[in-house]
Amino acid sequence: MKRLLFVQRRRRRLWPAGLALLAALGLGSAWWATASDREHSPAAAARPAHHTAEGFRNRDGSTIDKSQWEVWRWQLSRQDPPRTQPPLPVVAPDLRAPEPNITWIGHSTVLARLGGLAVLTDPQFSERASPVSWAGPKRVGALPLTPAQLPHIDVVLVSHNHYDHLDEASVRVLAAQPGGAPLFIVPLRLKAWFDDLGLAGLRVVELDWWQSHAERGIEFMLTPAKHWSSRTPFDRQQTLWGGFAVLAPDFRLIYTGDTGYSRDFTDIRQHFAARDAGWSGFDLALIPVGCYEPREFMRGQHVNPADAAQIHLDLGARRSVGVHWGTFEGLCDEPLDQAPRDLAAARRQLGLGDEAFTVLKHGETLRLQGAR
């Protein structure tokens, strides 16, 4: 009976790994949900609009309130996406490339070298993006760059606390790197998670949206995004989420973090233009392009390639690179290699050149030009 249930139902089978993971989380903190509105509380007038008595919400007032049954229903009815065979190409990183440059390690993990610093976004080096080692979305293909092969990391940027973006094993190995642990910059209320790891002397800086921290002449600002947070059934929206603007003297980079489409990105552009009369845009934007199907289920918190291309325009970025795709099987419903094809169609639709918004091979290093 189990074989019939889990193996022979090819079009609408129960995904055992997904169900096991949902059970491990108590059903309450699946990665995916949609947004719904909550009323403003009169008692909240004195605090920032995105702060609530329960935690945090998006700037448009939305929060993630998908029911457990809706998560189950998606898991029970989802179709097997066609598998990418063989796995997507992996190339050797060029760690000697002159700055500024970026190397895509996979999913949302990017090594950026600029302003004399090595910066890592959302470190995830584990085999699974999951709270358990025996279930959940699994990495396809080999890591192009292991933690032991990294240069000394100076700063780690964590956009939010979902398991495909914040991985305990990866944090621990980075904290133990030769030469001392990096600085971790995180959204509000996420420092407590790092404190609970018991890593002595670990530097963790918390930021709210629009707040900045300067490190060796580079400004790191937490920027708003439309998303949510949770690692257990009991901590939904208790920590903030967002993206990061990284402003070095000779290069301006933004990593948007996971997000649904919103006006946040035109507001980010206007924010920097208002504070800097000479603002000419970001030199590079790292924007998610994957994990967008089924669309109605993902729309509130994950952009598709068409949305991502519009974000590129909203930000006024000189160039963009797509992340959050092609790495973990079982995370969403589209095939692992679908995002680049949909991104190419979106570029054509918006009249963007091929180099304006690209994707990289796993491990590929992109040499970049400095600020205009």
Side-chain angles (χ1 to χ4, degrees), residues 55-365:
F56 301 98
R57 63 184 166 195
N58 294 306
R59 292 175 73 235
D60 63 4
S62 64
T63 56
I64 301 301
D65 288 322
K66 197 76 168 180
S67 72
Q68 294 177 1
W69 165 244
E70 288 172 294
V71 176
W72 266 104
R73 186 171 60 187
W74 168 52
Q75 284 289 311
L76 295 174
S77 64
R78 63 186 300 191
Q79 298 180 358
D80 290 339
R83 292 195 173 192
T84 302
Q85 295 292 344
L88 295 171
V90 177
V91 300
D94 181 4
L95 297 182
R96 296 184 179 181
E99 295 183 2
N101 65 71
I102 63 164
T103 299
W104 186 47
I105 298 173
H107 201 54
S108 294
T109 306
V110 174
L111 170 63
R113 306 182 80 174
L114 67 166
L117 295 184
V119 180
L120 198 64
T121 62
D122 286 351
Q124 185 18 301
F125 295 95
S126 293
E127 183 181 9
R128 292 187 185 272
S130 169
V132 295
S133 62
W134 43 268
K138 186 175 182 179
R139 185 180 298 275
V140 176
L143 270 171
L145 195 62
T146 68
Q149 296 170 321
L150 290 171
H152 184 273
I153 301 300
D154 300 294
V155 177
V156 176
L157 305 177
V158 177
S159 66
H160 64 296
N161 70 355
H162 288 163
Y163 287 92
D164 55 327
H165 295 261
L166 178 58
D167 175 65
E168 179 177 341
S170 301
V171 169
R172 289 187 179 278
V173 74
L174 288 168
Q177 72 175 347
L183 166 68
F184 288 83
I185 304 180
V186 306
L188 279 184
R189 297 189 190 171
L190 194 49
K191 183 178 184 297
W193 181 88
F194 288 83
D195 293 342
D196 289 344
L197 296 181
L199 299 172
L202 192 65
R203 291 178 63 207
V204 182
V205 171
E206 282 187 346
L207 298 177
D208 201 351
W209 290 337
W210 308 120
Q211 289 183 341
S212 296
H213 172 82
E215 186 74 10
R216 287 166 48 182
I218 298 180
E219 180 183 4
F220 297 89
M221 177 185 287
L222 187 71
T223 55
K226 185 177 181 179
H227 203 57
W228 62 293
S229 66
S230 181
R231 284 180 78 84
T232 77
F234 313 108
D235 66 347
R236 187 177 290 251
Q237 324 299 9
Q238 293 302 297
T239 64
L240 191 57
W241 51 90
F244 287 94
V246 182
L247 308 178
D250 61 345
F251 199 82
R252 301 160 175 163
L253 178 148
I254 186 167
Y255 165 47
T256 67
D258 275 9
T259 187
Y261 184 75
S262 72
R263 63 169 293 174
D264 290 328
F265 305 102
T266 55
D267 289 348
I268 289 169
R269 182 179 186 174
Q270 292 168 4
H271 176 89
F272 284 103
R275 78 168 200 168
D276 180 357
W279 181 256
S280 56
F282 290 100
D283 298 296
L284 181 71
L286 303 174
I287 304 174
V289 296
C291 199
Y292 49 92
E293 294 293 345
R295 196 71 203 115
E296 288 308 309
F297 202 92
M298 297 294 179
R299 187 183 305 278
Q301 66 283 332
H302 285 169
V303 294
N304 62 14
D307 294 332
Q310 186 60 52
I311 288 174
H312 164 84
L313 294 175
D314 291 350
L315 290 170
R318 183 179 183 182
R319 187 173 188 178
S320 293
V321 169
V323 298
H324 200 265
W325 71 280
T327 305
F328 288 103
E329 188 172 53
L331 193 62
C332 298
D333 280 5
E334 79 271 7
L336 288 180
D337 58 353
Q338 184 65 40
R341 294 194 293 271
D342 288 350
L343 180 60
R347 284 197 307 264
R348 291 192 297 271
Q349 182 71 24
L350 292 175
L352 295 172
D354 290 348
E355 294 301 312
F357 196 156
T358 59
V359 295
L360 302 179
K361 297 181 177 68
H362 287 88
E364 185 175 356
T365 299

Side-chain angles (χ1 to χ4, degrees), residues 1-10 13-17 19 80:
M1 176 62 73
K2 288 183 178 179
R3 181 172 180 81
L4 288 173
L5 181 62
F6 291 114
V7 178
Q8 293 179 1
R9 294 180 61 186
R10 298 181 61 84
R13 71 178 176 91
L14 302 177
W15 283 36
L19 292 178
D80 290 339

